[in-house]
Amino acid sequence: MSLGNLNHDRGPPEGLLGNLRGLQRARQQGGCSVGCRSRRTDDARLPWEAFDRYGGWGGHAFHGTDPGTDRTPVVFVHGNQRDACDWEEHAEFFLKRSYTGDELWAISFDDGSPTHRAMASQLDHFVGKVREHAGVEEVSVVAHSLGVTGVRHWLYDRDRYDWVDTFVGLAGANHGTVLSSWCATAGLTSGTYKMSPFLRADYAIREDHPLAKLNEDETPGDVDYYTIRGSHDPLFWRCERSPELDGAVNLELPVDHDGVRTDREAIEHVFEWVSGTDPYDLRHHVGLPESAENAAD
């Protein structure tokens, strides 16, 4: 997939400034959209020591469930200037549908705007510990925004395709963005509004571009791939299909950049893709009365 010729004859899209202000607010709160009191590298909500490499949450003790796994565990990966708090609503949705705490995990990278190299290193340790703790060979990974290419880079760089059953990419710049190209050219690669040079949209004409390597085969390994993009996402101005992957199930929803993650329909699709079940199948709801269980059968 190519984004084609990048003409600079139009101004930035409506909604972009609001998105950038959101980044600034999150950065002022340590890279957290809700102002969580936990440090980014606090491992108190994890059942292992991370030695200040990363933070996050997960496991039966944190979620207050019985130990053990019946389904493939899910690892949630945040985007730029965010952290594991982004995924609390998802965890609640999944827990109400019979997921256990040992099946639900979220990482907080040590930096709100981590490099792809740092994400690969931290993901490798985090997912390895999830596999060890849960006693499983594979996990499903759900990533948003910068985390999407971070996960793809980790899979490629560490050859961990056999660790992942299902990958869901939400609003990821899989083919770069016009804005990242502009910011890289202007030198905006640090500070609140930095855009990763990894995500320049000129990957198709630069042999040394890291996205060129990833996109030689966009859906490698024995992994089920899904993506969601928002039709009102200002970050993909004039490159609307960048989040899609050839060989994946690609879905568009009428939402913005954050809505791709928070919208109820998006959460429902994520649940169905990673669990293989309808989120409204009553047989999987917690605390279901016996009469309702019989009716569901």
Side-chain angles (χ1 to χ4, degrees):
M1 181 188 298
S2 174
L3 297 181
N5 186 39
L6 304 179
N7 295 316
H8 301 168
D9 56 352
R10 288 163 50 191
E14 183 180 354
L16 178 61
L17 292 180
N19 215 291
L20 293 177
R21 283 193 291 268
L23 282 178
Q24 185 180 45
R25 285 193 299 271
R27 188 170 189 266
Q28 291 170 346
Q29 297 173 154
C32 179
S33 63
V34 297
C36 176
R37 293 184 178 182
S38 296
R39 291 184 303 109
R40 297 199 65 85
T41 56
D42 183 4
D43 60 13
R45 298 176 294 173
L46 293 169
W48 62 78
E49 292 186 24
F51 303 104
D52 232 27
R53 295 180 63 179
Y54 53 75
W57 49 250
H60 64 269
F62 172 75
H63 290 292
T65 71
D66 291 333
T69 59
D70 294 316
R71 311 197 203 203
T72 302
V74 183
V75 174
F76 296 102
V77 181
H78 66 82
N80 189 26
Q81 290 300 332
R82 296 303 181 99
D83 65 2
C85 292
D86 268 5
W87 305 104
E88 292 175 353
E89 185 177 354
H90 292 71
E92 182 180 355
F93 189 90
F94 279 56
L95 287 167
K96 287 180 177 178
R97 288 157 178 80
S98 77
Y99 267 75
T100 70
D102 287 334
E103 296 165 345
L104 296 170
W105 307 84
I107 189 173
S108 290
F109 294 115
D110 68 340
D111 191 300
S113 298
T115 66
H116 283 71
R117 177 180 295 181
M119 284 188 281
S121 174
Q122 293 167 46
L123 278 168
D124 206 56
H125 192 270
F126 187 90
V127 176
K129 285 295 186 181
V130 170
R131 294 170 71 242
E132 179 182 328
H133 178 84
V136 299
E137 292 296 320
E138 294 182 321
V139 301
S140 292
V141 181
V142 179
H144 178 239
S145 193
L146 184 66
V148 174
T149 50
V151 170
R152 292 184 64 211
H153 175 67
W154 162 63
L155 290 170
Y156 175 87
D157 187 62
R158 304 299 176 98
D159 191 21
R160 296 304 194 194
Y161 299 106
D162 59 342
W163 283 18
V164 175
D165 175 70
T166 300
F167 171 64
V168 181
L170 307 175
N174 290 313
H175 301 89
T177 74
V178 174
L179 295 170
S180 292
S181 296
W182 285 7
C183 288
T185 300
L188 297 179
T189 55
S190 63
T192 301
Y193 304 119
K194 81 174 185 180
M195 295 280 184
S196 171
F198 192 104
L199 304 180
R200 295 189 318 266
D202 56 358
Y203 78 93
I205 60 174
R206 293 178 63 106
E207 293 183 359
D208 62 337
H209 196 307
L211 281 179
K213 287 287 187 184
L214 289 186
N215 291 338
E216 288 176 359
D217 180 358
E218 298 187 10
T219 50
D222 187 18
V223 179
D224 293 325
Y225 289 86
Y226 301 86
T227 76
I228 303 179
R229 64 183 178 96
S231 59
H232 309 315
D233 189 339
L235 292 185
F236 295 108
W237 166 55
R238 304 186 59 230
C239 52
E240 293 84 1
R241 296 183 61 193
S242 179
E244 296 184 356
L245 292 171
D246 288 339
V249 173
N250 298 300
L251 177 68
E252 178 189 75
L253 294 178
V255 296
D256 62 12
H257 192 70
D258 261 0
V260 171
R261 174 180 57 85
T262 62
D263 182 75
R264 181 74 170 197
E265 185 177 353
I267 296 174
E268 292 166 350
H269 281 293
V270 169
F271 180 89
E272 184 170 1
W273 290 335
V274 301
S275 72
T277 59
D278 186 323
Y280 299 108
D281 186 334
L282 295 181
R283 290 171 294 188
H284 301 296
H285 284 234
V286 175
L288 193 66
E290 184 177 351
S291 58
E293 287 181 346
N294 293 336
D297 290 335

